[in-house]
Amino acid sequence: QVQLVESGGGSAQSGGSLRLSCAVTYYDRLVYCIAWFRQTPGKEREAVAMMYNSNDYKTYIDSVKGRFTISHDSAKNIVDLQMNSLKPDDAAVYYCAADADVHCSAPQPSRLFDYWGQGTQVTVFS
């Protein structure tokens, strides 16, 4: 079991950068797939980036490759999402999610994740 609390987000100009953080509290010693999702009104929540908390293997959706970076600070138990070269299409509510039974080898559907943060708004203006 884990608890997730996001911070960061806000507004940025197109082409700018934002950094999201997810503070993870672990209540067991399982290996978790930790992911950043995003959702806009009327659309399904989509995985943006994900990684295991135990190694450095990362996966991204095509639309953010080369612009977004997910990272895990194991000392602080924080998973960050650095977002560069932001586009208006990146605007969404971003969520941190985790699950010990999900494979992080490819973006996975949101229904597979049991643990979620509260979400944080990202706005990108032209």
Side-chain angles (χ1 to χ4, degrees):
Q1 188 176 3
V2 296
Q3 184 179 26
L4 307 171
V5 178
E6 297 113 339
S7 61
S11 298
Q13 220 168 10
S14 182
S17 299
L18 286 172
R19 189 177 187 89
L20 307 181
S21 293
C22 176
V24 186
T25 302
Y26 297 96
Y27 295 98
D28 53 44
R29 298 178 68 86
L30 298 176
V31 173
Y32 283 84
C33 177
I34 300 177
W36 282 98
F37 282 79
R38 66 186 180 188
Q39 188 172 27
T40 54
K43 291 189 176 181
E44 289 191 10
R45 203 169 289 189
E46 68 168 350
V48 172
M50 52 182 63
M51 67 180 298
Y52 287 108
N53 63 344
S54 61
N55 61 48
D56 207 38
Y57 184 84
K58 305 171 184 179
T59 186
Y60 302 90
I61 57 171
D62 287 345
S63 61
V64 306
K65 284 181 181 176
R67 301 189 298 120
F68 289 12
T69 302
I70 187 172
S71 61
H72 179 238
D73 184 332
S74 59
K76 297 180 179 179
N77 288 334
I78 291 176
V79 178
D80 285 336
L81 184 69
Q82 178 66 41
M83 305 184 293
N84 298 327
S85 301
L86 283 164
K87 303 177 180 179
D89 284 349
D90 295 322
V93 178
Y94 282 72
Y95 297 89
C96 181
D99 200 281
D101 295 320
V102 173
H103 292 287
C104 261
S105 57
Q108 301 290 344
S110 60
R111 59 180 172 81
L112 298 182
F113 288 80
D114 283 341
Y115 302 101
W116 292 88
Q118 78 281 8
T120 185
Q121 180 71 50
V122 170
T123 302
V124 182
F125 52 92
S126 304

